Amino acid sequence: MRNFLILLALFSACNSLYLPEQVHIALDWEDTGMRVSWSADQPSYGSVVQYTPVNSPNDTVTKFAYSNMGSWKTFLNMDVSKILQRHIHVCTALMSGLIPGGYYKYRVGSEMYGWSSHFAFRAKRNFTDDPLIRLLVYGDFGIGQQAEATTERLIQETETYHYDAILHDGDMAYDFPSYDGSYGDRFMRQIEPYASKIPYMTSQGNHEADTATLHYLYRFNMPSKSKNLWYSFNLGKVHFLAYTSEPPFWNQTGLQKQQQEFIDNDLSTYNRTEYPWLVVFGHRPLYCSANWSTSGLEDWVPPVIRNNNDCLQDAQVVRNTFEELWHKYKVDFVINAHVHAYERLASVYHNVSVPCEYEDQNTCIGASEPVFVVTGTPGNQESYAPISPTPLPFSMAQDAGWGYSRLTVFNSTHLYWEQIRSVDQTISDWFWLIKSSKSTAYN
Ligand SMILES: *[C@@H]1O[C@H](CO)[C@@H](O)[C@H](O)[C@H]1NC(C)=O
Ligand SMILES: *[C@@H]1O[C@H](CO)[C@@H](O)[C@H](O)[C@H]1NC(C)=O
Ligand SMILES: *[C@@H]1O[C@H](CO)[C@@H](O)[C@H](O)[C@H]1NC(C)=O
Ligand SMILES: *[C@@H]1O[C@H](CO)[C@@H](O)[C@H](O)[C@H]1NC(C)=O
Ligand SMILES: *[C@@H]1O[C@H](CO)[C@@H](O)[C@H](O)[C@H]1NC(C)=O
Ligand SMILES: *[C@@H]1O[C@H](CO)[C@@H](O)[C@H](O)[C@H]1NC(C)=O
Ligand SMILES: *[C@@H]1O[C@H](CO)[C@@H](O)[C@H](O)[C@H]1NC(C)=O
Ligand SMILES: [Fe+2]
């Protein structure tokens, strides 16, 4: 009897090693697919995702409509303070054959080694009758106290499955490998409440370009042939393209050449009649106002002039690399982050604003060049940047303090963008980008 109890105790201890956690989903190439990824302390054979339509007549815990095999990948964490590095295991699986707009519940794991809790998501809709899409957008999201206000808001925002996707425009966890990779685990657990419900679409930031690179390449599973570095997808009337702003900063000329081939090919072949809006997102800004004066919230942040390079020399490098592409393919809207601030610029080309056919503080009708935004304030351990005392002449709005953005695209002509303060939920900036008959025809 005693032996049996010891065995039982051992078995459950081992079992927890295999318990799936850090569950998150992403859009697939196919409209009828949804990708799911998770982690465990140890990989286990026979891992699957089980999913079934909510309210299906066969909706029981044990009988599922489909079950798709997961595949495990393992990489070595790189915490420079440790000699022995930890192995990190990530499993991915595909939920396929989904009914457009259907609600599904799912769990991952196996009968043998244990299941995650149940999660639910909404499959990509059929936008023929209703093109309206809604996204939550931010970059530069860390963990701990400074991420709390935004985390709470994002959980509320996603309670009703109202959003079609979340864009995380680079820089995560600060950093994934820190403290034996525990920061990475904490970050992935922190986003799980909503990243398990709404497709969590990412781009690579500079914090994922150094020792955290493998975390970025393995933990996420974007519809990409380049390990999440660049890819595109469509929602409603919008073609989204994710790219990495990092190659020019790490002398990766070969990688940038490959990326440029992808961008050229993707943007010259997708159907612009079907998707009149072209929105790109990548981490470092082409344009932002310099001289984000001193420290933000935390006393320990040294009182230095921050981010001058980010908006001066480095922004010039980003422009040299990408501006002609965004100009050539008539990108409508460029989403950047990296600077821990919120800023919206006008329609800009070659460092000069290009007037819209009509414009005021919160509206641009008929833009001929991209409009740029920087959204880097959900909160992280490096604090935020106060408002720049020396804004660019074409800086339209700035905000400091914790916050995140919402992107709503109503139809082929109306795009709406707003910035929300996490602390009190006020809207600190809002903006309409509207296509005129001229600009629509031009596309
Ligand atoms: C539910 O079960 C019935 C009877 O077994 C079967 O005919 C039907 O295809 C199932 N539906 C789904 C959605 O699995
Ligand atoms: C989307 O909906 C339209 C109109 O309701 C329909 O004609 C079309 O077949 C649907 N497409 C898909 C892929 O389900
Ligand atoms: C990239 O190359 C330049 C010129 O060769 C060099 O000055 C710079 O330090 C290199 N940067 C990195 C990150 O290797
Ligand atoms: C692009 O989409 C439109 C509208 O759906 C369609 O009429 C047209 O044939 C498509 N063009 C190409 C090249 O597929
Ligand atoms: C861009 O424009 C700003 C403001 O007009 C100016 O201060 C800056 O020097 C310009 N930068 C370049 C690289 O031309
Ligand atoms: C930054 O601030 C310094 C000192 O106030 C000023 O001399 C400089 O012109 C500013 N630079 C920019 C790009 O605004
Ligand atoms: C597009 O959406 C806007 C905002 O809701 C609305 O005012 C406009 O009438 C819509 N246009 C079309 C063609 O439906
Ligand atoms: Fe960054």
Side-chain angles (χ1 to χ4, degrees):
M1 185 62 188
R2 213 168 123 212
N3 281 349
F4 175 73
L5 281 180
I6 290 167
L7 272 178
L8 200 67
L10 271 177
F11 183 72
S12 34
C14 289
N15 234 14
S16 76
L17 286 175
Y18 301 107
L19 216 57
E21 56 163 310
Q22 307 172 31
V23 177
H24 52 105
I25 60 172
L27 296 169
D28 182 45
W29 318 105
E30 301 289 336
D31 290 343
T32 52
M34 189 68 79
R35 294 162 182 231
V36 57
S37 308
W38 66 95
S39 292
D41 282 349
Q42 289 297 327
S44 51
Y45 287 106
S47 293
V48 297
V49 57
Q50 288 189 325
Y51 56 108
T52 188
V54 171
N55 302 328
S56 126
N58 307 336
D59 186 17
T60 67
V61 179
T62 48
K63 191 166 181 194
F64 285 80
Y66 313 92
S67 112
N68 279 16
M69 294 301 293
S71 78
W72 286 94
K73 287 189 176 138
T74 297
F75 64 97
L76 217 48
N77 188 52
M78 275 177 66
D79 179 342
V80 288
S81 74
K82 305 270 294 188
I83 297 166
L84 282 179
Q85 301 294 343
R86 184 185 144 207
H87 286 94
I88 295 180
H89 311 282
V90 178
C91 191
T92 59
L94 175 68
M95 298 181 269
S96 56
L98 306 175
I99 300 158
Y103 290 90
Y104 287 81
K105 74 173 188 181
Y106 71 102
R107 62 179 185 172
V108 298
S110 65
E111 212 56 69
M112 177 87 154
Y113 294 99
W115 295 104
S116 69
S117 42
H118 280 101
F119 302 99
F121 68 95
R122 190 173 188 194
K124 189 171 174 178
R125 290 177 290 130
N126 174 344
F127 297 100
T128 309
D129 298 326
D130 179 12
L132 189 156
I133 61 162
R134 300 184 187 88
L135 291 91
L136 295 166
V137 186
Y138 53 79
D140 304 273
F141 200 21
I143 55 172
Q145 202 191 334
Q146 305 197 37
E148 276 173 14
T150 302
T151 296
E152 196 179 306
R153 286 291 300 136
L154 294 170
I155 290 172
Q156 286 169 11
E157 287 269 22
T158 52
E159 261 165 17
T160 57
Y161 301 86
H162 175 74
Y163 289 94
D164 295 287
I166 298 168
L167 307 185
H168 187 150
D169 203 6
D171 280 7
M172 306 161 175
Y174 292 76
D175 289 340
F176 278 115
S178 304
Y179 295 89
D180 208 18
S182 65
Y183 273 32
D185 296 325
R186 284 175 60 188
F187 176 77
M188 299 309 293
R189 289 179 196 133
Q190 176 184 291
I191 65 170
E192 185 191 69
Y194 53 91
S196 59
K197 296 168 95 166
I198 315 285
Y200 200 80
M201 310 307 287
T202 60
S203 73
Q204 182 192 38
N206 52 300
H207 282 264
E208 292 80 53
D210 202 345
T211 55
T213 305
L214 292 179
H215 285 259
Y216 181 73
L217 304 184
Y218 283 78
R219 284 179 177 279
F220 299 100
N221 185 17
M222 298 299 117
S224 167
K225 289 181 176 141
S226 68
K227 301 186 167 114
N228 307 327
L229 295 178
W230 51 81
Y231 59 93
S232 67
F233 58 93
N234 303 312
L235 284 172
K237 295 289 178 189
V238 188
H239 185 71
F240 288 94
L241 183 138
Y243 65 100
T244 170
S245 57
E246 292 314 298
F249 293 92
W250 307 85
N251 288 344
Q252 296 165 315
T253 41
L255 199 67
Q256 179 55 26
K257 193 165 163 283
Q258 284 175 42
Q259 171 162 248
Q260 178 151 346
E261 274 167 22
F262 168 81
I263 293 172
D264 273 319
N265 181 52
D266 185 81
L267 296 188
S268 60
T269 55
Y270 84 94
N271 191 331
R272 188 104 193 205
T273 312
E274 212 164 334
Y275 306 106
W277 290 105
L278 177 52
V279 175
V280 302
F281 64 103
H283 182 63
R284 297 196 203 218
L286 287 78
Y287 293 103
C288 52
S289 296
N291 269 357
W292 304 100
S293 53
T294 55
S295 61
L297 280 184
E298 294 293 302
D299 292 341
W300 56 262
V301 177
V304 288
I305 307 268
R306 290 177 59 133
N307 295 317
N308 269 346
N309 271 355
D310 294 339
C311 298
L312 299 173
Q313 295 95 317
D314 288 359
Q316 186 62 56
V317 170
V318 183
R319 295 207 287 271
N320 292 346
T321 312
F322 296 102
E323 188 165 36
E324 291 314 314
L325 285 167
W326 303 161
H327 167 75
K328 177 178 175 190
Y329 293 110
K330 304 192 188 310
V331 168
D332 294 294
F333 199 60
V334 180
I335 298 169
N336 299 135
H338 187 54
V339 175
H340 299 166
Y342 173 76
E343 185 167 25
R344 174 166 59 83
L345 295 312
S347 166
V348 182
Y349 181 55
H350 282 171
N351 202 29
V352 178
S353 68
V354 181
C356 311
E357 284 162 37
Y358 166 85
E359 70 186 286
D360 60 33
Q361 180 61 31
N362 299 95
T363 316
C364 162
I365 305 179
S368 51
E369 294 294 341
V371 168
F372 294 84
V373 288
V374 176
T375 175
T377 59
N380 60 61
Q381 299 93 305
E382 292 177 357
S383 193
Y384 63 74
I387 285 171
S388 165
T390 54
L392 289 167
F394 45 81
S395 175
M396 302 302 285
Q398 289 190 50
D399 196 39
W402 307 136
Y404 58 94
S405 308
R406 289 189 194 124
L407 172 65
T408 309
V409 184
F410 286 86
N411 49 39
S412 300
T413 52
H414 284 62
L415 178 153
Y416 180 67
W417 171 263
E418 59 191 358
Q419 173 72 6
I420 315 299
R421 289 201 182 127
S422 298
V423 176
D424 58 10
Q425 308 175 28
T426 51
I427 295 170
S428 55
D429 182 41
W430 55 275
F431 172 65
W432 282 101
L433 183 58
I434 300 172
K435 286 184 186 282
S436 70
S437 50
K438 211 163 108 194
S439 60
T440 306
Y442 194 58
N443 286 328

